[in-house]
Amino acid sequence: MKKPLRIGRGQIGALFIDFQEEHRQDARYLVEHYGAVLANAGRLQAAARRNAAPVYHCAYVVDMAGFSAPLHPVQPDGRSAFSDKNDPLTALCHEVAPGPNERLLVKNQASAFGAGSALGAQLKAAGMPWLAVCGVWTEACVAASVHDAIRLGLRVLLVKDACGSGSGAMHQTGILNLANRLYGGAVVDTGAACRLLDGQTVDAWQVQGAVPLRYTWADAAELYRAL
C-alpha cells in the first residue's frame, strides 16, 4: 500500500552496497542493466550529498587467509571464486566512488552489518533512524544488509531501481521478498528517494500486515512496478 511519507532532514543516511567493477566486467557476475542501476545510484548519492546526509559505501573483498568459511567457493588455485582480494575488479565503479570524508566499509561477507562491521554503531552514533539502501545483488548482499538493518531497529528506505542482480527476474522477486518483510520501512524508486532526501513528501509503498504480496509467475513483474 502506498501512503504519504516524509523524512526529516538529519534523519536519514544512505548505504551503497558492492557497486564494483566485477559486475560490469566479469562475465560470471554481470548485473543486468548495470549502467542504469549505477546512474540511479549516482543520482541518489548526489541527493544525499546536497542535503548533508551521511553516505556509506561497501565493497565485498574476500581474503582467504584465515577466512573461516569452509564451504566458500574457491578457484583451483585457492583464491575466492568471486571478489578475491587480488582481483582489481573489486574496485568500486568510478560513477559511484566515495567522495571526500565518506566511509568505505570493506567486508568479506554478504551483509554490511556482519560480524566485525562498525556500520551499525556508526549509524546509531549519527542518530539516523532511516537508511536509504541500494546496491547489488538484490537477493544476496542487499537482502542480507536490509534484514540486518531491520533487526538493528533501522527503518529502511529500499530504492528499488538503484538495485540490480543477474537478471530482471532475480532482481524483481528479490525486491518483492524484501518488501514483504520491510517492517517500519518503505520501497520507492530513485526519483522519490531523492525527493525524500530533499525534505519533500512522497507516496511510498509501506508494508501493512505480514507478507501482503502473494505474487505468482504471472503477476510478479506487475506487482514490482506497482511498488
Side-chain angles (χ1 to χ4, degrees), residues 101-182:
N101 302 317
E102 291 179 355
R103 300 166 180 85
L104 171 61
L105 168 69
V106 177
K107 59 189 180 69
N108 64 359
Q109 54 194 295
S111 175
F113 297 91
S117 171
L119 181 58
Q122 290 175 358
L123 288 164
K124 286 183 179 296
M128 296 289 155
W130 280 89
L131 183 65
V133 175
C134 65
V136 296
W137 286 22
T138 308
E139 78 288 358
C141 294
V142 174
S145 300
V146 167
H147 288 308
D148 280 351
I150 295 169
R151 179 179 55 81
L152 291 170
L154 293 166
R155 294 179 179 271
V156 172
L157 183 70
L158 182 60
V159 187
K160 65 177 185 177
D161 56 347
C163 297
S165 189
S167 72
M170 294 168 74
H171 165 67
Q172 291 181 3
T173 55
I175 292 290
L176 290 171
N177 288 337
L178 286 171
N180 265 331
R181 294 166 177 84
L182 199 65

Side-chain angles (χ1 to χ4, degrees), residues 16-186:
F16 298 84
I17 300 172
D18 301 350
F19 285 116
Q20 292 162 254
E21 282 291 344
E22 61 188 335
H23 306 302
R24 172 156 53 193
Q25 299 189 47
D26 189 329
R28 301 170 299 170
Y29 303 116
L30 299 179
V31 166
E32 186 170 274
H33 304 307
Y34 196 31
V37 173
L38 288 170
N40 287 332
R43 290 171 57 202
L44 187 64
Q45 284 185 4
R49 289 165 181 157
R50 69 174 172 259
N51 289 288
V55 175
Y56 304 86
H57 305 262
C58 289
Y60 202 151
V61 181
V62 180
D63 183 353
M64 294 303 297
F67 187 48
S68 57
L71 300 181
H72 184 86
V74 297
Q75 301 183 60
D77 61 5
R79 292 182 299 138
S80 173
F82 56 86
S83 306
D84 185 81
K85 69 170 185 174
N86 294 315
D87 187 344
L89 297 184
T90 59
L92 292 181
C93 297
H94 66 88
E95 298 96 325
V96 291
N101 302 317
E102 291 179 355
R103 300 166 180 85
L104 171 61
L105 168 69
V106 177
K107 59 189 180 69
N108 64 359
Q109 54 194 295
S111 175
F113 297 91
S117 171
L119 181 58
Q122 290 175 358
L123 288 164
K124 286 183 179 296
M128 296 289 155
W130 280 89
L131 183 65
V133 175
C134 65
V136 296
W137 286 22
T138 308
E139 78 288 358
C141 294
V142 174
S145 300
V146 167
H147 288 308
D148 280 351
I150 295 169
R151 179 179 55 81
L152 291 170
L154 293 166
R155 294 179 179 271
V156 172
L157 183 70
L158 182 60
V159 187
K160 65 177 185 177
D161 56 347
C163 297
S165 189
S167 72
M170 294 168 74
H171 165 67
Q172 291 181 3
T173 55
I175 292 290
L176 290 171
N177 288 337
L178 286 171
N180 265 331
R181 294 166 177 84
L182 199 65
Y183 308 126

